[in-house]
Amino acid sequence: MNHMAGSLEQYNTVVWHWPIAVYLFLAGLSAGAIISAIIIKWMKGNDVSPWDGIIKAGAILAPITIGAGLFLLIFDLTRPLHFWKLLIHYNFGSVMTLGVLALFAYFPVVILFFLGVFKKELIENGPFKFLAPFADMALTYAKAIESVTLILAVGVGAYTGFLLSAMNSYPLLNTPILPALFLASGVSAGISANLVVGLLFFKNSTGESNVSYMHGLDVKVIFAELFFLFILFVGMMYQGGSSAHVASAALSSGGLSTLLWVGVIGLGLMLPIGLNFALPHGVKHSHGFVIFNALIVLIGVLALRYYILYAGQTFVG
Amino acid sequence: MQKQYRLLYDENLCIGCQACSIACRVENSVPDEVYRVQVHMQTMGIFPNLGMHYERLSCVMCENPPCVSVCPTNASFQSKDGLVHIDEKSCISCKYCILACPYHARFINPLKNVVEKCTFCYETRVSKELSPACVSICPTDALTFGDMRQSNSLVYQKSHKEVLLFPKAHLGTKPKVAFIPNRKGAKS
Ligand code: SF4
Ligand code: SF4
Ligand code: SF4
């Protein structure tokens, strides 16, 4: 092949780079953290102050991670100072616009949740007395606000998948399973991050039974993720044509496939499942192990976002 | 009156001279390292049975443009004549459209940091009843441009005479650029 015409670089480059992968990770983590915190809060005995460490962890992580993710997203724009135009122009057919609208609603409700959970520290004993009405509102209408939050969190977790699956010329991205995969792995990341933060920073208030409940839930979600990944690739194989080619290339070629097998599947999914079955009960429930397990899950989820984003743009049939 | 533009690219007539690409560069001040249009040539087959395969790479002005449907700010939009344009002022340079375009027709202009692509030279030429720069310069008349609503236009007549191939038609984008495929076939 010769290129008398000139460079073809423009026609096959990766357009969205790692900051987008990290954003997708953080958005999923944020949604997962608030979802799992609300699940714990709704369990019997957990719905009153003093809050369980996992609820506190979720209350902190959800706003911080989504905030950090959006910051990254904005500064990844070629012209970051133009991002505000996103707030005044809407295209309701664009997944990006729908995501922006979901985040518009999501951000305030996770902040409300945070204020409610940390009312004592921030408002009663802290300097933020003027926020008292918001914290009271969060506590008075807790059930209603949390229900809305839960729905929005599912929206935020899934939208990151729709964002990529809306593009019909990338076989690996253009699959209906992607939003489900991203939502599941986001929940898994959120649970893990909550466990790490809860056990490291709110050790005294983190209930044992909640830790094992979360850990057990994480293992189930990991099974779901494995299943979704399986469906993704098997589905593409059965589609035949270029989809099948893309699937086999994405599974077998280059550093990206190594990342998939070693990082995503090996470290992030199989190792946690294996350890969970192999280790004796005592070790499995030690805090050290739970934290270690949570960290490898987090690495695996980040690797998954990175893999999907890059492999999706690289292997196009 | 609304138009129904079409651009025909005849692979049989193209000699791969790149005059179209250069004319485009001059007309639209396209920086060196990026292309609004280029004709990609590939030598196919095994010596001495060689053949050239030409492919014109550019925006094909989709009737159903994915770049427009993903754009969060409507900066990418379709005019009433069905042409797809970019409003630089409302573009946030998120690059979603670059990804969504199945023809890889879009790029970031490295000098202006905005998203760009072929416009059919609408502002400077087509709106003044001239043909796009690439069409007017082509030495072999491999490119034909015009309004399909006018049955006396060359593009209409050629479209009805030749076998047309619409690139990536299976995606349902309905391109306004059509190829007249190589009749001698590409050697594989
Ligand atoms: S100017 Fe005409 S002949 Fe030359 S490369 Fe372009 S289309 Fe082909
Ligand atoms: S070819 Fe690409 S840039 Fe041009 S209208 Fe179609 S999708 Fe948009
Ligand atoms: S880069 Fe500009 S034109 Fe393209 S989708 Fe984003 S806002 Fe729209």
Side-chain angles (χ1 to χ4, degrees), chain A residues 126-149:
Chain A
F128 299 103
K129 301 238 170 349
F130 64 100
L131 292 173
F134 295 104
D136 291 335
M137 183 173 115
L139 295 171
T140 319
Y141 304 106
K143 239 333 189 290
I145 294 176
E146 282 155 17
S147 309
V148 173
T149 309

Side-chain angles (χ1 to χ4, degrees), chain A residues 7-147:
Chain A
S7 166
L8 282 178
E9 203 185 323
Q10 180 184 323
Y11 303 96
N12 41 28
T13 45
V14 171
V15 174
W16 276 356
H17 290 271
W18 66 266
I20 306 290
V22 177
Y23 165 72
L24 298 174
F25 168 73
L26 290 172
L29 193 160
S30 172
I34 201 80
I35 291 173
S36 50
I38 291 176
I39 291 176
I40 291 291
K41 190 158 180 271
W42 282 3
M43 283 174 21
K44 222 176 157 53
N46 286 344
D47 53 352
V48 284
S49 176
W51 308 109
D52 189 88
I54 290 177
I55 300 177
K56 288 182 183 164
I60 294 180
L61 281 169
I64 288 188
T65 48
I66 195 70
L70 288 174
F71 191 78
L72 200 62
L73 197 63
I74 288 170
F75 281 90
D76 186 51
L77 295 176
T78 313
R79 298 188 300 170
L81 296 180
H82 286 251
F83 94 95
W84 57 271
K85 289 173 180 162
L86 198 55
L87 311 177
I88 54 167
H89 300 287
Y90 301 98
N91 170 6
F92 295 100
S94 164
V95 180
M96 196 176 286
T97 293
L98 298 178
V100 168
L101 293 176
L103 289 169
F104 254 157
Y106 176 79
F107 210 75
V109 292
V110 292
I111 298 270
L112 269 186
F113 187 84
F114 169 75
L115 289 177
V117 168
F118 285 98
K119 184 176 175 209
K120 204 155 106 227
E121 290 82 348
L122 286 172
I123 295 161
E124 284 166 15
N125 306 326
F128 299 103
K129 301 238 170 349
F130 64 100
L131 292 173
F134 295 104
D136 291 335
M137 183 173 115
L139 295 171
T140 319
Y141 304 106
K143 239 333 189 290
I145 294 176
E146 282 155 17
S147 309

Side-chain angles (χ1 to χ4, degrees), chain B residues 74-86:
Chain B
N74 295 317
S76 285
F77 65 98
Q78 203 165 20
S79 73
K80 65 177 187 342
D81 287 329
L83 298 188
V84 174
H85 294 296
I86 302 161

Side-chain angles (χ1 to χ4, degrees), chain A residues 96, chain B residues 67 70-76 86 90-98 106 115:
Chain A
M96 196 176 286
Chain B
C67 57
V70 300
C71 176
T73 62
N74 295 317
S76 285
I86 302 161
S90 45
C91 171
I92 58 161
S93 68
C94 65
K95 303 190 248 181
Y96 203 3
C97 56
I98 301 184
R106 295 174 165 240
V115 174

